[in-house]
Amino acid sequence: MSKVLELKNIEKTFYAGTVNENYVLKNLSLDLEEGDYVTVIGGNGAGKSTMLNIISGALMPDSGNVVIDGEDVTKLKEYQRAKYLGRVFQDPRMGTATHMSISENMAIANRRGSKRGLKWGLPKSEEAEYKELLSILDLGLENRLDTKMGLLSGGQRQAVTLLMATIQRPRLLLLDEHTAALDPKTAAKVLEITDRIVTQNRLTTVMITHNMRDAIKHGNRLVMLDAGRVILDIKGEEKQNLTVDQLLKKFEHLGGESTLSDRMLLG
Amino acid sequence: MINIILGAVSLGLLWAIMTTGVFLTYRVLDYADLSVEGSIVMGAAIVAKLITGGVNPIIATVCAFAGGLAAGVVTGLLNTKLKIPSLLAGILTMIALYSVNIRIMGKANITLLKSETVFTMVETIGLKGNTGVIIVAVVINAAIAAALYWFFGTELGCAVRATGDNRKMARAQGINTDTMKILALALSNGLVALSGALIAQDQSYADVSMGQGAIVIGLASVIIGEVIFYRGNFLNRLISVVLGAVVYRIIIALVIEMGMKPTDLKLFTAITVAICLALPTFQPQIKAKLAKILPQKKEVK
């Protein structure tokens, strides 16, 4: 099994040297194997989003290395790493261009990783492919290719963002609490679509979630972060048989520093 | 009266090129770029210096465009590489250009009264006065609109639009947003300088202070165009911007005709733009008021 992602001794402090100094990631190391579908949980401030932002290059680590497919990408800028990564954000507005149409958005995503030149950016020949992909979502979007992204609901936008993140097969799919801003029913639907896309394309995936039940139900590996370190890493059969109660007991046993938020327990 | 309107239309069409430039930054890139106040003068300065030096007016006009491109690149580098906030980056370029423009001209203004310009060139084929200016300006505006429509349909153009729409999304899709910003700022300032070059040739002089308030005039024209004319696909938006610039000049010509002091124009323009920009804030209240009035109207019917 080859390693898709290696995080090596990542350190990150915000506002170093000021009263607001915040030591977020402490010597964090994590390896992802091909085909891993990891759900990441942890309380507020555990460093989940910071970790994802360091993988994507939106943030630079103070020290440590990010390695994708054996290539050290620590120094690569966010846009340069994009060829390896598919990303969906927490805010549904963040993943798509509001004033551009669905098909324009998909055409932009379809060129992730390739050079953008003076060829026509929205060839008619690609529309059939977009329609087919959109029809998988089962949201009726396949007949609304020219609709502006801003007119779609949050759930619809997240679903399209998922397609955009995976239209060019990424080496690693990063989902940053991508259902947290949606109502429960829509969230469930988007998670179901997520599972389908990840399984069909056998994508290596990191999904951050606030919700323990979702973390247990989805994926084949569960990682718990606390105070900037991995305190729990459950895979295989153990992950499949995991319950919320067991997870809570493990957390207490490990003496996690941060308190679990109500939202995380009840979700 | 016809002459006043024709004069306004011809001037409006020349300023429309500048307005298109402002549209590129303000609307497409979502970046309020103040360097245009300097680059419009830069275009005039370059063209005046070159023409009085005996250079062919068409070549001089192309050089003015290139000068504007360079000015835009400077603003872009200040913003993206030196991380200077966008408004301040524009102000720095604008201030710097004031000195640069005087250096280009060697003095504060140059007259072109006795020089050959692109407009005297078309006069020789029988297109005199406003008619000549209007025809030249329409051709240039049409060429620019067609070129921009094509460009913003290409992969690169789509990347610029995505950068203006959502920088985070653009980067996540592998777009170098810094390069796209610089590219759009260069294009925009190039057009603004081109506009300045043509205005100088039309008015037969270049003056270092002719750019004062240009950004507000540009914004006013963009907004007027959007409010009055159809706002649909990209080509329609480009056309509406050009028409907005023309309507702005007609309005100005009319208020001056009605007796407003020319020196009050900038105040008038600023107030117009402020009202237009404030409209979205008050839209809910206006809609609520209208909702109260409208059903009553129906009952009357």
Side-chain angles (χ1 to χ4, degrees):
Chain A
M1 286 286 233
S2 65
K3 282 174 184 165
V4 174
L5 173 77
E6 297 161 74
L7 292 178
K8 296 178 181 170
N9 314 103
I10 301 285
E11 295 266 334
K12 182 71 185 177
T13 306
F14 291 108
Y15 310 112
T18 72
V19 282
N20 293 321
E21 187 170 278
N22 188 3
Y23 192 6
V24 180
L25 296 182
K26 294 165 188 168
N27 203 20
L28 176 80
S29 291
L30 182 69
D31 287 357
L32 257 64
E33 307 280 345
E34 181 87 56
D36 271 357
Y37 180 0
V38 188
T39 55
V40 180
I41 51 169
N44 291 327
K48 307 184 298 290
S49 283
T50 306
M51 179 181 83
L52 223 56
N53 283 330
I54 281 177
I55 299 172
S56 71
L59 288 175
M60 293 290 164
D62 299 334
S63 65
N65 297 80
V66 182
V67 179
I68 298 176
D69 267 343
E71 185 195 344
D72 191 323
V73 300
T74 318
K75 295 218 159 59
L76 288 191
K77 293 201 173 109
E78 193 180 0
Y79 77 90
Q80 293 168 318
R81 289 186 208 183
K83 62 181 168 192
Y84 303 112
L85 305 172
R87 292 163 68 190
V88 184
F89 308 101
Q90 180 173 353
D91 185 343
R93 287 168 302 185
M94 277 297 117
T96 48
T98 310
H99 303 289
M100 298 176 82
S101 68
I102 295 179
S103 56
E104 283 175 324
N105 271 280
M106 297 199 55
I108 284 169
N110 204 17
R111 282 156 184 75
R112 182 167 53 79
S114 48
K115 205 166 158 45
R116 290 165 210 264
L118 293 176
K119 275 184 293 186
W120 195 243
L122 186 62
K124 285 268 173 239
S125 56
E126 291 174 24
E127 284 188 2
E129 186 194 348
Y130 301 158
K131 272 192 181 174
E132 200 187 317
L133 283 169
L134 288 163
S135 67
I136 303 172
L137 299 179
D138 200 19
L139 296 169
L141 296 176
E142 59 272 19
N143 301 317
R144 298 174 64 190
L145 278 183
D146 294 327
T147 303
K148 295 265 184 289
M149 214 65 220
L151 296 174
L152 303 188
S153 70
Q156 288 172 326
R157 286 183 82 161
Q158 287 304 63
V160 175
T161 310
L162 263 171
L163 286 185
M164 288 168 60
T166 52
I167 188 167
Q168 287 293 328
R169 190 176 190 275
R171 286 301 289 137
L172 182 61
L173 178 62
L174 303 177
L175 309 169
D176 189 357
E177 296 199 51
H178 68 307
T179 59
L182 308 175
D183 66 78
K185 205 177 150 198
T186 315
K189 170 91 182 165
V190 170
L191 278 173
E192 180 234 320
I193 294 169
T194 308
D195 278 353
R196 220 180 324 148
I197 289 176
V198 170
T199 326
Q200 269 171 10
N201 301 295
R202 293 189 299 279
L203 297 172
T204 309
T205 303
V206 182
M207 178 170 93
I208 291 182
T209 173
H210 242 97
N211 185 312
M212 280 202 179
R213 216 169 286 164
D214 286 342
I216 290 167
K217 190 177 159 199
H218 301 272
N220 53 25
R221 185 175 164 193
L222 184 147
V223 165
M224 186 184 265
L225 288 190
D226 184 67
R229 289 165 298 126
V230 175
I231 57 164
L232 203 60
D233 191 346
I234 305 170
K235 311 176 196 183
E237 214 168 299
E238 195 190 352
K239 161 77 167 65
Q240 279 174 14
N241 300 325
L242 196 66
T243 64
V244 174
D245 280 344
Q246 285 172 351
L247 197 55
L248 279 173
K249 282 206 183 93
K250 277 180 194 288
F251 182 79
E252 279 164 19
H253 177 67
L254 288 162
E257 283 177 32
S258 59
T259 49
L260 297 177
S261 68
D262 291 346
R263 201 170 133 224
M264 196 167 143
L265 296 173
L266 300 172
Chain B
M1 193 66 187
I2 293 284
N3 265 332
I4 291 168
I5 299 287
L6 278 182
V9 170
S10 69
L11 194 56
L13 285 167
L14 295 179
W15 277 86
I17 301 165
M18 183 268 187
T19 306
T20 305
V22 171
F23 168 76
L24 290 188
T25 46
Y26 186 64
R27 281 293 188 232
V28 180
L29 192 61
D30 192 20
Y31 184 117
D33 175 32
L34 297 185
S35 40
V36 296
E37 301 240 333
S39 48
I40 191 165
V41 183
M42 190 187 202
I46 291 176
V47 96
K49 184 70 184 175
L50 290 179
I51 286 178
T52 50
V55 176
N56 176 298
I58 294 173
I59 294 172
T61 307
V62 173
C63 290
F65 175 72
L69 288 179
V73 170
V74 170
T75 306
L77 290 174
L78 288 175
N79 177 241
T80 58
K81 303 299 172 204
L82 304 186
K83 312 282 179 210
I84 295 171
S86 53
L87 271 178
L88 202 50
I91 291 174
L92 289 176
T93 307
M94 173 183 93
I95 294 293
L97 281 177
Y98 185 85
S99 301
V100 172
N101 291 335
I102 293 180
R103 276 210 176 258
I104 291 171
M105 291 194 286
K107 50 189 173 183
N109 50 58
I110 292 178
T111 171
L112 291 169
L113 273 174
K114 290 175 190 133
S115 310
E116 193 191 22
T117 68
V118 288
F119 302 113
T120 61
M121 287 169 90
V122 295
E123 266 180 25
T124 58
I125 55 167
L127 299 168
K128 287 200 166 61
N130 285 330
T131 325
V133 177
I134 289 171
I135 288 171
V136 170
V138 164
V139 169
I140 293 175
N141 274 299
I144 290 169
L148 290 179
Y149 179 67
W150 166 78
F151 175 71
F152 284 105
T154 65
E155 292 173 349
L156 192 60
C158 284
V160 174
R161 282 161 64 203
T163 301
D165 201 313
N166 183 343
R167 308 227 197 296
K168 195 177 169 86
M169 171 269 192
R171 281 194 292 270
Q173 297 299 343
I175 294 168
N176 185 346
T177 49
D178 284 356
T179 307
M180 296 308 132
K181 267 191 193 176
I182 295 170
L183 180 62
L185 283 164
L187 260 182
S188 164
N189 281 283
L191 290 176
V192 173
L194 173 64
S195 174
L198 292 170
I199 293 165
Q201 293 177 70
D202 178 42
Q203 300 184 335
S204 300
Y205 72 89
D207 186 284
V208 74
S209 63
M210 66 186 274
Q212 235 179 46
I215 182 70
V216 184
I217 294 171
L219 289 179
S221 307
V222 169
I223 295 165
I224 290 170
E226 283 174 351
V227 171
I228 301 183
F229 301 99
Y230 178 66
R231 190 181 170 185
N233 71 30
F234 197 73
L235 189 60
N236 280 322
R237 290 187 74 183
L238 285 170
I239 295 169
S240 78
V241 163
V242 172
L243 295 177
V246 174
V247 169
Y248 170 80
R249 283 293 155 188
I250 293 174
I251 293 172
I252 295 298
L254 291 180
V255 293
I256 287 187
E257 194 60 16
M258 284 155 65
M260 183 185 271
K261 280 174 80 177
T263 44
D264 286 339
L265 271 184
K266 290 204 162 80
L267 177 64
F268 174 78
T269 309
I271 292 172
T272 313
V273 172
I275 291 171
C276 290
L277 291 179
L279 271 183
T281 318
F282 296 105
Q283 226 154 26
Q285 284 106 305
I286 297 169
K287 272 198 183 143
K289 284 241 168 77
L290 283 178
K292 271 184 198 163
I293 301 164
L294 288 177
Q296 289 171 349
K297 272 190 182 168
K298 274 178 193 160
E299 281 166 19
V300 174
K301 278 173 192 171

